[in-house]
Amino acid sequence: MEYSEIIDIFESHDKFLIITHKSPDGDTLGSGFGLCYFLREMGKMANVVNSDGFPDRYDFMYVDYAPQEFEPEYIIAVDVADPALMGSGLAAYQEKGVVDLCIDHHISNKHFAKLSHVEGDTAAAAHILYKIFKSSGRKISDITAKCLYTGIATDTGCFKYENTRPDTHLAAAELMAYDIDFANVNRRMFDVKSKGRIKIEQIVTGKMEYHLHDRCAMICITTELMESCGVDQAEFDGLASIPLSAEGVVIGITVKQRHERVFKISVRTTEDMDASAFCNYFGGGGHIRAAGCEIRGTLEEVKAKLLERAEQVLGK
């Protein structure tokens, strides 16, 4: 789709529902709230929804946000590659064709919406939205800019991941010109950790497993572990980078229990391995260096499946 076609959609409808993915990160929330504020600035009605709620660590993006009362006439999903990623709380929107438009940057997008705009080579969904907004010629507000900057910064690991391109930096630089206190955003996103989070990282690092001649590292987060730590569940998000931080590791796998026999898998890889292809084998997907999937079974069964596949890809 051309950006002008998306702007035409914004202009020709009045009541929008914006769907973000479960276990929300900075990009899906930055994209969701950035789009919400942009639409409201156009005089439209718009709300953002998430099946898991909005974590406190991102509250600077929605401290003044208030849901509006209306029946949506147009539904947009942002940063959602698969309808299953909407979560059980938004099951009513997961059937193919229910969502009107999906704006995403995952190469594994399943094109479940009536219309899809996917840029697999763009670092963040928030960057796509910035390009769309910029093409409209409309001014954006500081809070919109702050949301978009947060999405870009978080999905690039503060601009250190391979998905960062020259135009990523240029977009971030333009957004930094707004009154967004970008230094504080980056500090909150990348430097500040609660005591509970520090405790969690100490535990999972201490229990990290190494396989396949130390080329594969894995951490496992069970419900038992989460309950024993006595911290908010949101503190367990964003741990996927830990396994890959060990020297010599090619694939880092995080296994996080969601239900009794359901595990969320997050995979991070170096240039020697395709994370999206690895997760696609299990029905998931994502990016070349960061992807995910869901596997059912006991913890030991899930680990065995992951290691078997890793061995097939890497060799013994």
Side-chain angles (χ1 to χ4, degrees):
M1 296 181 66
E2 299 293 331
Y3 294 159
S4 59
E5 295 178 272
I6 299 175
I7 293 299
D8 286 343
I9 289 172
F10 295 167
E11 291 177 342
S12 59
H13 296 84
D14 295 311
K15 300 173 182 179
F16 295 85
L17 181 69
I18 303 165
I19 297 175
T20 53
H21 65 67
K22 65 183 179 181
S23 299
D25 59 12
D27 190 25
T28 198
L29 292 178
S31 299
F33 282 100
L35 176 57
C36 180
Y37 296 136
F38 182 79
L39 290 170
R40 288 184 178 187
E41 289 154 15
M42 290 179 65
K44 311 295 183 175
M45 301 185 77
N47 284 333
V48 182
V49 292
N50 187 279
S51 62
D52 293 336
F54 306 131
D56 290 342
R57 72 186 300 255
Y58 300 107
D59 62 5
F60 59 89
M61 289 194 283
Y62 42 81
V63 63
D64 294 322
Y65 167 80
Q68 298 175 330
E69 292 291 331
F70 63 88
E71 284 295 322
E73 63 178 41
Y74 203 86
I75 301 171
I76 303 176
V78 290
D79 197 40
V80 181
D82 186 322
L85 294 175
M86 296 179 194
S88 58
L90 297 175
Y93 302 102
Q94 293 181 21
E95 291 187 19
K96 189 174 180 65
V98 173
V99 174
D100 295 294
L101 171 64
C102 178
I103 299 173
D104 188 28
H105 69 126
H106 294 92
I107 57 174
S108 59
N109 188 282
K110 294 189 180 298
H111 296 274
F112 57 90
K114 294 177 184 175
L115 296 172
S116 297
H117 180 83
V118 180
E119 295 183 19
D121 58 350
T122 298
H127 186 188
I128 300 173
L129 284 164
Y130 178 57
K131 289 187 284 186
I132 294 169
F133 298 168
K134 190 176 176 181
S135 74
S136 73
R138 291 176 174 272
K139 291 187 65 176
I140 64 173
S141 64
D142 290 333
I143 186 59
T144 300
K146 191 171 191 175
C147 292
L148 299 180
Y149 178 87
T150 301
I152 295 172
T154 53
D155 248 30
T156 57
C158 207
F159 310 98
K160 69 181 181 182
Y161 296 160
E162 289 183 16
N163 62 347
T164 307
R165 305 186 314 181
D167 67 327
T168 316
H169 283 290
L170 290 172
E174 291 176 9
L175 291 167
M176 287 166 64
Y178 290 81
D179 184 15
I180 64 172
D181 194 5
F182 61 87
N184 185 54
V185 169
N186 287 329
R187 181 173 182 274
R188 286 190 61 170
M189 294 295 96
F190 303 104
D191 297 334
V192 175
K193 299 176 182 178
S194 68
K195 293 177 181 177
R197 177 55 177 245
I198 293 172
K199 176 183 177 181
I200 291 164
E201 292 187 4
Q202 289 174 332
I203 292 172
V204 297
T205 301
K207 293 179 177 291
M208 188 151 63
E209 304 173 12
Y210 296 92
H211 303 275
L212 302 173
H213 301 289
D214 296 343
R215 292 174 297 166
C216 173
M218 179 185 293
I219 58 175
C220 300
I221 305 165
T222 62
T223 52
E224 182 181 5
L225 172 61
M226 288 186 273
E227 290 169 359
S228 68
C229 288
V231 299
D232 188 273
Q233 294 296 302
E235 297 284 8
F236 290 90
D237 294 333
L239 296 170
S241 62
I242 291 177
L244 199 63
S245 65
E247 185 178 10
V249 171
V250 175
I251 176 172
I253 304 175
T254 300
V255 180
K256 182 182 178 184
Q257 189 169 14
R258 293 187 62 85
H259 305 293
E260 185 177 354
R261 291 175 58 86
V262 181
F263 293 84
K264 175 187 175 184
I265 314 301
S266 298
V267 174
R268 301 292 183 267
T269 61
T270 67
E271 65 277 1
D272 298 317
M273 193 170 181
D274 187 331
S276 181
F278 183 90
C279 290
N280 186 60
Y281 179 82
F282 297 103
H287 303 291
I288 294 176
R289 300 287 168 256
C293 58
E294 191 171 270
I295 302 178
R296 295 175 179 272
T298 66
L299 176 59
E300 293 306 316
E301 289 171 345
V302 170
K303 287 170 59 178
K305 290 177 183 178
L306 289 165
L307 292 174
E308 180 182 17
R309 184 56 182 167
E311 183 178 313
Q312 290 171 352
V313 176
L314 291 176
K316 293 184 179 180

